[in-house]
Amino acid sequence: MDIAALTADTGTETGRHTIDARVMAAMEQVPRHKFVPPEEEQNAYENRPLPIGYGQTISQPYIIALMTDLMMVKPTDVVLEVGTGSGYQAAILASLARAVYTIEIIEPLGRQAQERLQRLAYKQVETRVGDGYYGWEAHAPYDAIIVTAAASHVPPPLMRQLKPGGRMVIPVGAQFLTQYLLLIEKSDDGTVSTKQILPVRFVPLVAH
Ligand code: SAH
């Protein structure tokens, strides 16, 4: 997987020509093969999405690197992820942030991810089974929020739980139509700006 080359190729479109060195280091350190089912282990380092069971997929490494980069996570940050899936993205974020809270709606996936993250000693990650549309109020506000399933609109509870000065990365669009990866920035005075980064294809954020 050549994340650097893909990033350079899409830089004009995404506005990110290189991926931050800390993000690249996290991508190199987190063992992706430990987050996929045994039959997919041999494919873990290819630049493509992989099935993780229950009809869900883990994104291709390039998209994970790009989304993480757009979040601009600092070591003191508290971040929220909606859509734990395998726990891989949470592990990447754990290498960059002070605390990671992640929510998964499919119970067995959420439990597996929790066990896996504990086994691999990603201690800054806390998982929960539930509907991430509503965020995780107890630990809000967040410096950064990532949604790893496509929503039809930006969930207002997530917008509220984003700190002034914070950033949200979220794919928005209908399931079989074009979805766009959005970067939403909330300024210190609370004004919100949205940038379309790239057309993408994610599994849907399921409704409650
Ligand atoms: N970030 C994951 C990939 C997740 S795929 C990883 O690194 O492996 C998207 C995940 O979002 C799926 O597991 C899906 O079950 C979950 N999801 C969909 N709708 C959700 C919702 N409303 N709340 C929480 N999780 C949701």
Short mmCIF file of all heavy atoms in Angstrom, two decimals, residues 64-118:
data_model
loop_
_atom_site.label_atom_id
_atom_site.label_comp_id
_atom_site.label_asym_id
_atom_site.label_seq_id
_atom_site.Cartn_x
_atom_site.Cartn_y
_atom_site.Cartn_z
N ILE A 64 -8.34 5.63 5.46
CA ILE A 64 -8.15 5.75 6.91
C ILE A 64 -7.08 6.79 7.22
O ILE A 64 -7.24 7.65 8.09
CB ILE A 64 -7.82 4.37 7.53
CG1 ILE A 64 -9.07 3.49 7.42
CG2 ILE A 64 -7.35 4.52 8.98
CD1 ILE A 64 -8.95 2.11 7.95
N ALA A 65 -5.98 6.74 6.46
CA ALA A 65 -4.90 7.71 6.67
C ALA A 65 -5.40 9.13 6.37
O ALA A 65 -5.16 10.06 7.15
CB ALA A 65 -3.71 7.37 5.77
N LEU A 66 -6.15 9.28 5.29
CA LEU A 66 -6.65 10.61 4.90
C LEU A 66 -7.62 11.15 5.96
O LEU A 66 -7.51 12.31 6.39
CB LEU A 66 -7.34 10.53 3.53
CG LEU A 66 -7.98 11.83 3.03
CD1 LEU A 66 -6.92 12.90 2.74
CD2 LEU A 66 -8.83 11.58 1.77
N MET A 67 -8.57 10.32 6.38
CA MET A 67 -9.56 10.77 7.37
C MET A 67 -8.87 11.15 8.69
O MET A 67 -9.20 12.15 9.32
CB MET A 67 -10.63 9.69 7.61
CG MET A 67 -11.56 9.52 6.42
SD MET A 67 -12.70 8.11 6.60
CE MET A 67 -13.99 8.82 7.63
N THR A 68 -7.90 10.32 9.09
CA THR A 68 -7.19 10.59 10.34
C THR A 68 -6.39 11.88 10.22
O THR A 68 -6.39 12.72 11.13
CB THR A 68 -6.24 9.41 10.67
OG1 THR A 68 -6.99 8.20 10.60
CG2 THR A 68 -5.64 9.56 12.06
N ASP A 69 -5.76 12.07 9.07
CA ASP A 69 -4.98 13.28 8.83
C ASP A 69 -5.86 14.52 8.92
O ASP A 69 -5.49 15.53 9.54
CB ASP A 69 -4.33 13.17 7.44
CG ASP A 69 -3.33 14.28 7.20
OD1 ASP A 69 -2.28 14.27 7.85
OD2 ASP A 69 -3.62 15.18 6.39
N LEU A 70 -7.05 14.44 8.31
CA LEU A 70 -7.96 15.59 8.31
C LEU A 70 -8.40 15.97 9.73
O LEU A 70 -8.74 17.12 10.00
CB LEU A 70 -9.19 15.28 7.45
CG LEU A 70 -8.95 15.21 5.93
CD1 LEU A 70 -10.14 14.54 5.24
CD2 LEU A 70 -8.70 16.60 5.35
N MET A 71 -8.41 15.00 10.63
CA MET A 71 -8.82 15.27 12.02
C MET A 71 -7.78 16.11 12.78
O MET A 71 -8.11 16.72 13.79
CB MET A 71 -9.05 13.96 12.78
CG MET A 71 -10.26 13.18 12.28
SD MET A 71 -10.26 11.52 12.99
CE MET A 71 -10.88 11.85 14.65
N MET A 72 -6.54 16.11 12.31
CA MET A 72 -5.44 16.86 12.94
C MET A 72 -5.40 16.67 14.45
O MET A 72 -5.42 17.64 15.23
CB MET A 72 -5.56 18.34 12.58
CG MET A 72 -5.31 18.56 11.09
SD MET A 72 -5.36 20.28 10.58
CE MET A 72 -3.98 20.94 11.50
N VAL A 73 -5.35 15.41 14.86
CA VAL A 73 -5.40 15.06 16.28
C VAL A 73 -4.09 15.43 16.99
O VAL A 73 -3.01 15.13 16.50
CB VAL A 73 -5.65 13.54 16.45
CG1 VAL A 73 -5.64 13.15 17.91
CG2 VAL A 73 -6.97 13.15 15.79
N LYS A 74 -4.24 16.08 18.15
CA LYS A 74 -3.08 16.42 18.98
C LYS A 74 -3.02 15.45 20.17
O LYS A 74 -4.05 14.89 20.55
CB LYS A 74 -3.20 17.85 19.50
CG LYS A 74 -3.19 18.90 18.39
CD LYS A 74 -3.20 20.32 18.95
CE LYS A 74 -4.46 20.69 19.72
NZ LYS A 74 -5.70 20.63 18.93
N PRO A 75 -1.82 15.28 20.76
CA PRO A 75 -1.68 14.30 21.85
C PRO A 75 -2.60 14.57 23.05
O PRO A 75 -2.87 13.66 23.82
CB PRO A 75 -0.21 14.43 22.26
CG PRO A 75 0.48 15.00 21.07
CD PRO A 75 -0.52 15.88 20.38
N THR A 76 -3.07 15.79 23.19
CA THR A 76 -3.94 16.11 24.33
C THR A 76 -5.43 15.95 23.99
O THR A 76 -6.29 16.18 24.84
CB THR A 76 -3.71 17.58 24.75
OG1 THR A 76 -3.79 18.39 23.57
CG2 THR A 76 -2.36 17.76 25.41
N ASP A 77 -5.75 15.58 22.75
CA ASP A 77 -7.14 15.57 22.30
C ASP A 77 -7.97 14.39 22.83
O ASP A 77 -7.45 13.29 23.05
CB ASP A 77 -7.21 15.52 20.76
CG ASP A 77 -6.95 16.89 20.13
OD1 ASP A 77 -6.75 17.86 20.89
OD2 ASP A 77 -6.93 16.97 18.89
N VAL A 78 -9.25 14.66 22.96
CA VAL A 78 -10.24 13.63 23.27
C VAL A 78 -11.10 13.49 22.02
O VAL A 78 -11.64 14.48 21.53
CB VAL A 78 -11.10 14.05 24.47
CG1 VAL A 78 -12.20 13.03 24.73
CG2 VAL A 78 -10.22 14.22 25.71
N VAL A 79 -11.17 12.27 21.48
CA VAL A 79 -11.87 12.10 20.21
C VAL A 79 -12.99 11.06 20.31
O VAL A 79 -12.95 10.16 21.14
CB VAL A 79 -10.90 11.75 19.04
CG1 VAL A 79 -9.79 12.77 18.92
CG2 VAL A 79 -10.33 10.37 19.20
N LEU A 80 -13.96 11.23 19.42
CA LEU A 80 -15.09 10.31 19.34
C LEU A 80 -15.11 9.66 17.96
O LEU A 80 -14.94 10.34 16.95
CB LEU A 80 -16.41 11.09 19.54
CG LEU A 80 -17.70 10.28 19.36
CD1 LEU A 80 -17.90 9.30 20.50
CD2 LEU A 80 -18.91 11.22 19.27
N GLU A 81 -15.33 8.34 17.96
CA GLU A 81 -15.53 7.63 16.69
C GLU A 81 -16.92 7.01 16.70
O GLU A 81 -17.31 6.36 17.67
CB GLU A 81 -14.50 6.52 16.51
CG GLU A 81 -14.74 5.73 15.22
CD GLU A 81 -13.93 4.44 15.09
OE1 GLU A 81 -13.59 3.83 16.12
OE2 GLU A 81 -13.64 4.06 13.95
N VAL A 82 -17.66 7.17 15.63
CA VAL A 82 -18.94 6.49 15.46
C VAL A 82 -18.73 5.39 14.43
O VAL A 82 -18.33 5.67 13.29
CB VAL A 82 -20.04 7.47 15.00
CG1 VAL A 82 -21.33 6.71 14.71
CG2 VAL A 82 -20.28 8.54 16.07
N GLY A 83 -18.96 4.13 14.83
CA GLY A 83 -18.73 2.99 13.94
C GLY A 83 -17.42 2.30 14.26
O GLY A 83 -16.46 2.37 13.50
N THR A 84 -17.36 1.60 15.40
CA THR A 84 -16.12 0.95 15.86
C THR A 84 -15.65 -0.12 14.89
O THR A 84 -14.45 -0.27 14.65
CB THR A 84 -16.33 0.29 17.24
OG1 THR A 84 -17.03 1.18 18.10
CG2 THR A 84 -15.03 -0.14 17.86
N GLY A 85 -16.62 -0.90 14.36
CA GLY A 85 -16.28 -2.01 13.44
C GLY A 85 -15.26 -2.93 14.07
O GLY A 85 -15.49 -3.50 15.13
N SER A 86 -14.10 -3.07 13.43
CA SER A 86 -13.05 -3.96 13.92
C SER A 86 -12.25 -3.35 15.07
O SER A 86 -11.51 -4.05 15.76
CB SER A 86 -12.08 -4.24 12.78
OG SER A 86 -11.37 -3.05 12.45
N GLY A 87 -12.31 -2.04 15.22
CA GLY A 87 -11.49 -1.35 16.21
C GLY A 87 -10.20 -0.80 15.63
O GLY A 87 -9.42 -0.15 16.33
N TYR A 88 -9.96 -1.05 14.34
CA TYR A 88 -8.70 -0.61 13.73
C TYR A 88 -8.52 0.92 13.74
O TYR A 88 -7.49 1.43 14.19
CB TYR A 88 -8.61 -1.14 12.29
CG TYR A 88 -7.37 -0.69 11.56
CD1 TYR A 88 -6.13 -1.24 11.87
CD2 TYR A 88 -7.43 0.27 10.56
CE1 TYR A 88 -4.98 -0.83 11.20
CE2 TYR A 88 -6.29 0.69 9.88
CZ TYR A 88 -5.07 0.14 10.21
OH TYR A 88 -3.94 0.54 9.55
N GLN A 89 -9.55 1.63 13.28
CA GLN A 89 -9.46 3.10 13.27
C GLN A 89 -9.27 3.63 14.70
O GLN A 89 -8.51 4.59 14.91
CB GLN A 89 -10.72 3.68 12.64
CG GLN A 89 -10.83 5.18 12.71
CD GLN A 89 -9.95 5.92 11.70
OE1 GLN A 89 -10.16 5.83 10.49
NE2 GLN A 89 -8.96 6.62 12.21
N ALA A 90 -9.93 3.01 15.66
CA ALA A 90 -9.79 3.44 17.05
C ALA A 90 -8.35 3.24 17.53
O ALA A 90 -7.81 4.08 18.27
CB ALA A 90 -10.77 2.66 17.94
N ALA A 91 -7.73 2.14 17.10
CA ALA A 91 -6.34 1.87 17.49
C ALA A 91 -5.40 2.92 16.88
O ALA A 91 -4.46 3.39 17.53
CB ALA A 91 -5.92 0.47 17.04
N ILE A 92 -5.67 3.30 15.64
CA ILE A 92 -4.86 4.36 14.99
C ILE A 92 -5.00 5.65 15.81
O ILE A 92 -4.01 6.32 16.14
CB ILE A 92 -5.33 4.59 13.54
CG1 ILE A 92 -5.11 3.34 12.66
CG2 ILE A 92 -4.68 5.84 12.93
CD1 ILE A 92 -3.71 3.13 12.17
N LEU A 93 -6.25 5.98 16.16
CA LEU A 93 -6.50 7.22 16.91
C LEU A 93 -5.87 7.16 18.30
O LEU A 93 -5.38 8.17 18.81
CB LEU A 93 -8.00 7.48 17.01
CG LEU A 93 -8.68 7.87 15.69
CD1 LEU A 93 -10.20 7.83 15.83
CD2 LEU A 93 -8.22 9.26 15.23
N ALA A 94 -5.86 5.96 18.89
CA ALA A 94 -5.28 5.80 20.23
C ALA A 94 -3.79 6.14 20.22
O ALA A 94 -3.25 6.59 21.23
CB ALA A 94 -5.49 4.37 20.72
N SER A 95 -3.15 5.93 19.09
CA SER A 95 -1.72 6.25 19.00
C SER A 95 -1.49 7.75 18.90
O SER A 95 -0.36 8.22 19.01
CB SER A 95 -1.10 5.58 17.75
OG SER A 95 -1.61 4.30 17.57
N LEU A 96 -2.56 8.52 18.67
CA LEU A 96 -2.41 9.95 18.41
C LEU A 96 -3.05 10.85 19.47
O LEU A 96 -2.67 12.00 19.62
CB LEU A 96 -3.05 10.29 17.06
CG LEU A 96 -2.48 9.56 15.84
CD1 LEU A 96 -3.40 9.76 14.64
CD2 LEU A 96 -1.08 10.07 15.53
N ALA A 97 -4.07 10.32 20.18
CA ALA A 97 -4.88 11.16 21.07
C ALA A 97 -4.71 10.76 22.53
O ALA A 97 -4.14 9.71 22.83
CB ALA A 97 -6.35 11.02 20.67
N ARG A 98 -5.24 11.58 23.41
CA ARG A 98 -5.21 11.26 24.83
C ARG A 98 -6.27 10.21 25.17
O ARG A 98 -6.04 9.30 25.96
CB ARG A 98 -5.49 12.53 25.65
CG ARG A 98 -5.56 12.29 27.16
CD ARG A 98 -5.33 13.57 27.92
NE ARG A 98 -6.37 14.56 27.71
CZ ARG A 98 -7.54 14.59 28.37
NH1 ARG A 98 -7.80 13.67 29.27
NH2 ARG A 98 -8.43 15.52 28.12
N ALA A 99 -7.45 10.34 24.58
CA ALA A 99 -8.53 9.40 24.85
C ALA A 99 -9.40 9.25 23.61
O ALA A 99 -9.62 10.21 22.87
CB ALA A 99 -9.38 9.90 26.02
N VAL A 100 -9.86 8.01 23.39
CA VAL A 100 -10.71 7.71 22.24
C VAL A 100 -11.98 7.03 22.75
O VAL A 100 -11.90 6.02 23.45
CB VAL A 100 -10.00 6.76 21.24
CG1 VAL A 100 -10.89 6.45 20.04
CG2 VAL A 100 -8.67 7.35 20.79
N TYR A 101 -13.13 7.58 22.41
CA TYR A 101 -14.41 6.96 22.74
C TYR A 101 -15.02 6.50 21.44
O TYR A 101 -15.08 7.27 20.47
CB TYR A 101 -15.31 7.96 23.47
CG TYR A 101 -14.70 8.34 24.79
CD1 TYR A 101 -13.91 9.49 24.92
CD2 TYR A 101 -14.83 7.51 25.90
CE1 TYR A 101 -13.29 9.81 26.12
CE2 TYR A 101 -14.22 7.81 27.11
CZ TYR A 101 -13.45 8.96 27.21
OH TYR A 101 -12.84 9.26 28.41
N THR A 102 -15.44 5.23 21.38
CA THR A 102 -15.95 4.71 20.12
C THR A 102 -17.23 3.91 20.34
O THR A 102 -17.34 3.16 21.31
CB THR A 102 -14.85 3.90 19.37
OG1 THR A 102 -15.40 3.40 18.14
CG2 THR A 102 -14.32 2.73 20.19
N ILE A 103 -18.20 4.10 19.45
CA ILE A 103 -19.53 3.51 19.58
C ILE A 103 -19.84 2.62 18.38
O ILE A 103 -19.62 3.04 17.24
CB ILE A 103 -20.63 4.60 19.65
CG1 ILE A 103 -20.26 5.66 20.67
CG2 ILE A 103 -21.99 3.99 19.97
CD1 ILE A 103 -21.22 6.84 20.67
N GLU A 104 -20.36 1.43 18.65
CA GLU A 104 -20.75 0.51 17.58
C GLU A 104 -22.18 0.05 17.82
O GLU A 104 -22.54 -0.29 18.94
CB GLU A 104 -19.79 -0.69 17.56
CG GLU A 104 -20.19 -1.84 16.66
CD GLU A 104 -20.37 -1.45 15.19
OE1 GLU A 104 -19.48 -0.82 14.62
OE2 GLU A 104 -21.45 -1.78 14.64
N ILE A 105 -22.97 -0.02 16.75
CA ILE A 105 -24.38 -0.39 16.91
C ILE A 105 -24.61 -1.90 16.86
O ILE A 105 -25.57 -2.40 17.44
CB ILE A 105 -25.26 0.37 15.88
CG1 ILE A 105 -26.70 0.48 16.40
CG2 ILE A 105 -25.20 -0.26 14.51
CD1 ILE A 105 -27.54 1.53 15.68
N ILE A 106 -23.72 -2.64 16.17
CA ILE A 106 -23.87 -4.11 16.10
C ILE A 106 -23.14 -4.73 17.30
O ILE A 106 -21.91 -4.71 17.37
CB ILE A 106 -23.33 -4.67 14.76
CG1 ILE A 106 -24.12 -4.06 13.58
CG2 ILE A 106 -23.41 -6.19 14.73
CD1 ILE A 106 -23.62 -4.48 12.21
N GLU A 107 -23.93 -5.29 18.21
CA GLU A 107 -23.38 -5.71 19.50
C GLU A 107 -22.17 -6.66 19.40
O GLU A 107 -21.14 -6.39 20.01
CB GLU A 107 -24.48 -6.31 20.37
CG GLU A 107 -23.99 -6.61 21.75
CD GLU A 107 -25.08 -6.83 22.77
OE1 GLU A 107 -26.27 -6.71 22.42
OE2 GLU A 107 -24.73 -7.13 23.92
N PRO A 108 -22.28 -7.77 18.62
CA PRO A 108 -21.11 -8.67 18.59
C PRO A 108 -19.85 -7.99 18.03
O PRO A 108 -18.74 -8.26 18.51
CB PRO A 108 -21.55 -9.82 17.67
CG PRO A 108 -22.96 -9.58 17.30
CD PRO A 108 -23.43 -8.29 17.90
N LEU A 109 -20.01 -7.10 17.08
CA LEU A 109 -18.85 -6.38 16.54
C LEU A 109 -18.23 -5.50 17.63
O LEU A 109 -17.01 -5.46 17.80
CB LEU A 109 -19.25 -5.51 15.35
CG LEU A 109 -19.18 -6.10 13.95
CD1 LEU A 109 -19.60 -5.05 12.92
CD2 LEU A 109 -17.78 -6.61 13.63
N GLY A 110 -19.09 -4.80 18.35
CA GLY A 110 -18.62 -3.92 19.41
C GLY A 110 -17.88 -4.70 20.50
O GLY A 110 -16.82 -4.27 20.97
N ARG A 111 -18.43 -5.87 20.86
CA ARG A 111 -17.78 -6.70 21.89
C ARG A 111 -16.44 -7.24 21.43
O ARG A 111 -15.46 -7.21 22.17
CB ARG A 111 -18.68 -7.88 22.26
CG ARG A 111 -19.92 -7.47 22.99
CD ARG A 111 -20.51 -8.63 23.79
NE ARG A 111 -21.80 -8.26 24.35
CZ ARG A 111 -21.96 -7.35 25.29
NH1 ARG A 111 -20.91 -6.74 25.81
NH2 ARG A 111 -23.16 -7.05 25.73
N GLN A 112 -16.42 -7.74 20.17
CA GLN A 112 -15.15 -8.25 19.62
C GLN A 112 -14.08 -7.17 19.60
O GLN A 112 -12.94 -7.40 19.94
CB GLN A 112 -15.35 -8.74 18.18
CG GLN A 112 -15.92 -10.13 18.04
CD GLN A 112 -16.31 -10.43 16.58
OE1 GLN A 112 -15.70 -9.92 15.65
NE2 GLN A 112 -17.34 -11.25 16.40
N ALA A 113 -14.49 -5.98 19.17
CA ALA A 113 -13.53 -4.88 19.07
C ALA A 113 -13.01 -4.52 20.46
O ALA A 113 -11.81 -4.28 20.65
CB ALA A 113 -14.17 -3.67 18.41
N GLN A 114 -13.91 -4.51 21.44
CA GLN A 114 -13.50 -4.20 22.81
C GLN A 114 -12.46 -5.20 23.32
O GLN A 114 -11.41 -4.82 23.85
CB GLN A 114 -14.72 -4.22 23.73
CG GLN A 114 -14.36 -3.91 25.17
CD GLN A 114 -15.57 -3.91 26.08
OE1 GLN A 114 -16.56 -4.61 25.82
NE2 GLN A 114 -15.52 -3.12 27.12
N GLU A 115 -12.73 -6.52 23.10
CA GLU A 115 -11.78 -7.57 23.53
C GLU A 115 -10.44 -7.41 22.83
O GLU A 115 -9.38 -7.51 23.44
CB GLU A 115 -12.35 -8.95 23.18
CG GLU A 115 -13.41 -9.41 24.16
CD GLU A 115 -14.20 -10.61 23.60
OE1 GLU A 115 -13.67 -11.32 22.69
OE2 GLU A 115 -15.33 -10.80 24.06
N ARG A 116 -10.51 -7.16 21.52
CA ARG A 116 -9.30 -7.03 20.72
C ARG A 116 -8.46 -5.84 21.18
O ARG A 116 -7.25 -5.95 21.37
CB ARG A 116 -9.74 -6.85 19.26
CG ARG A 116 -8.65 -6.69 18.28
CD ARG A 116 -9.23 -6.54 16.89
NE ARG A 116 -9.68 -7.78 16.31
CZ ARG A 116 -10.83 -7.93 15.65
NH1 ARG A 116 -11.67 -6.91 15.51
NH2 ARG A 116 -11.16 -9.08 15.13
N LEU A 117 -9.12 -4.70 21.41
CA LEU A 117 -8.38 -3.50 21.81
C LEU A 117 -7.76 -3.68 23.20
O LEU A 117 -6.66 -3.20 23.46
CB LEU A 117 -9.31 -2.28 21.78
CG LEU A 117 -9.70 -1.82 20.36
CD1 LEU A 117 -10.95 -0.96 20.38
CD2 LEU A 117 -8.54 -1.06 19.70
N GLN A 118 -8.46 -4.44 24.07
CA GLN A 118 -7.91 -4.71 25.40
C GLN A 118 -6.70 -5.64 25.29
O GLN A 118 -5.66 -5.41 25.89
CB GLN A 118 -8.96 -5.35 26.30
CG GLN A 118 -9.79 -4.29 27.01
CD GLN A 118 -10.99 -4.86 27.73
OE1 GLN A 118 -11.20 -6.07 27.78
NE2 GLN A 118 -11.81 -3.98 28.29
#
